[in-house]
């Protein structure tokens, strides 16, 4: 009787120990999977090593992703920079193309005028032809924003006029443009070339 009772008690204790071991094993696995449930102090060295290894793999993966993105962005930026530099070079190289196209008919007419003057030395017709060519050229340049300045009779302005001579004048007040020696021009709103003028004393 006593022996049976001891064996039964022993079996119960063994069953409890196995249950405790099974529960502890599950808890260990859970703690490894769930990083936030235990502090570093509660982990044994193996758990710490596994957790740190998993974090390192995750961090390396993120770093590789970021590095790949950075390389792609840098390549895109280099391609964009090269493309815009090429476009800028082309733009500078052919900036005057439209104006030259506008002036080609003027050049053709000058060629015709010179040829006609050799065949027919009539000065009147030659003069009229040159006037027509001049008007054609002025029209082409005005399309590009070129505009002549009106200087005579205007007060002298050093931003618009370049005084070459000072002359006494009874007709004009002092410091007024009396005569225009060379035309000045605006290109759109910018002074392209100031007028060369005589100014009254």
């Amino acid at each position: 009787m006593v022996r049976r009772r001891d064996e039964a008690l022993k079996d119960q204790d063994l069953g409890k120990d196995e249950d405790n071991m099974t529960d502890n094993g599950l808890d260990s696995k859970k703690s490894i999977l769930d990083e936030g449930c235990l502090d570093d102090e509660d982990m044994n060295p193996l758990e710490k090593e596994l957790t740190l290894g998993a974090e390192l793999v995750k961090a390396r993966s993120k770093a590789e992703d970021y590095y790949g993105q950075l390389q792609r962005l840098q390549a895109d930026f280099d391609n964009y920079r090269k493309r815009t530099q090429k476009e800028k070079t082309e733009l500078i190289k052919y900036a005057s193309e439209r104006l030259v196209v506008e002036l080609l008919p003027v050049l053709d007419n000058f060629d015709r005028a010179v040829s006609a003057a050799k065949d027919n030395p009539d000065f009147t017709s030659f003069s009229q032809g040159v006037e027509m060519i001049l008007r054609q050229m002025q029209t082409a340049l005005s399309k590009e924003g070129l505009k002549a300045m009106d200087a005579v009779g205007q007060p002298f302005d050093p931003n618009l006029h370049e005084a070459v001579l000072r002359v006494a004048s009874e007709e004009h007040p002092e410091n007024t443009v009396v005569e225009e020696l060379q035309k000045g021009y605006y290109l759109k709103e910018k002074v392209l070339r100031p007028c060369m003028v005589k100014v009254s004393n």
Side-chain angles (χ1 to χ4, degrees), residues 35 38-45 47-48 51-52 55:
E35 296 170 15
L38 291 175
D39 295 334
D40 286 347
E41 296 170 0
D42 296 335
M43 292 184 187
N44 63 40
E47 290 173 338
K48 284 183 184 178
T51 304
L52 290 173
E55 287 177 1

Side-chain angles (χ1 to χ4, degrees), residues 153-189:
Q154 300 294 321
F156 175 75
D157 182 348
N159 297 315
L160 304 175
H161 309 130
E162 185 181 338
V164 178
L165 293 170
R166 284 197 167 269
V167 292
S169 174
E170 295 177 2
E171 298 174 17
H172 299 90
E174 189 178 350
N175 223 22
T176 303
V177 175
V178 175
E179 188 181 339
E180 190 178 69
L181 302 174
Q182 186 182 66
K183 276 191 175 294
Y185 291 96
Y186 295 105
L187 182 60
K188 297 183 171 73
E189 289 82 31

Side-chain angles (χ1 to χ4, degrees), residues 12-59:
Q12 281 182 346
D13 289 338
L14 283 173
K16 285 180 184 176
D17 287 342
E18 285 175 4
D19 289 340
N20 287 339
M21 285 175 68
T22 305
D23 290 341
N24 286 342
L26 287 171
D27 288 342
S28 296
K29 286 178 184 173
K30 282 182 185 175
S31 67
I32 290 169
L33 295 173
D34 186 10
E35 296 170 15
C37 68
L38 291 175
D39 295 334
D40 286 347
E41 296 170 0
D42 296 335
M43 292 184 187
N44 63 40
L46 180 60
E47 290 173 338
K48 284 183 184 178
E49 190 177 333
L50 289 172
T51 304
L52 290 173
E55 287 177 1
L56 181 61
V57 168
K58 191 175 176 183

Side-chain angles (χ1 to χ4, degrees), residues 68-185:
Q69 286 178 16
L70 178 65
Q71 283 183 316
R72 285 191 294 276
L73 281 172
Q74 197 166 16
D76 288 345
F77 179 73
D78 283 344
N79 291 337
Y80 168 76
R81 186 176 50 78
K82 286 174 187 172
R83 190 172 63 250
T84 51
Q85 185 64 36
K86 185 180 177 184
E87 288 171 1
K88 186 178 175 184
T89 305
E90 290 285 314
L91 188 66
I92 291 167
K93 189 175 179 182
Y94 297 107
S96 58
E97 181 180 1
R98 191 173 72 177
L99 177 61
V100 171
V101 168
E102 290 282 338
L103 291 177
L104 284 177
V106 177
L107 188 63
D108 293 339
N109 286 335
F110 269 123
D111 282 339
R112 289 187 193 103
V114 170
S115 297
K118 286 177 183 174
D119 296 337
N120 182 13
D122 181 12
F123 180 75
T124 306
S125 60
F126 179 76
S127 174
Q128 288 172 348
V130 170
E131 282 179 17
M132 286 173 59
I133 295 169
L134 176 63
R135 283 195 296 275
Q136 187 181 16
M137 189 169 194
Q138 287 171 337
T139 303
L141 291 171
S142 67
K143 284 180 184 175
E144 295 298 317
L146 190 74
K147 183 182 173 187
M149 292 180 184
D150 294 324
V152 177
Q154 300 294 321
F156 175 75
D157 182 348
N159 297 315
L160 304 175
H161 309 130
E162 185 181 338
V164 178
L165 293 170
R166 284 197 167 269
V167 292
S169 174
E170 295 177 2
E171 298 174 17
H172 299 90
E174 189 178 350
N175 223 22
T176 303
V177 175
V178 175
E179 188 181 339
E180 190 178 69
L181 302 174
Q182 186 182 66
K183 276 191 175 294
Y185 291 96

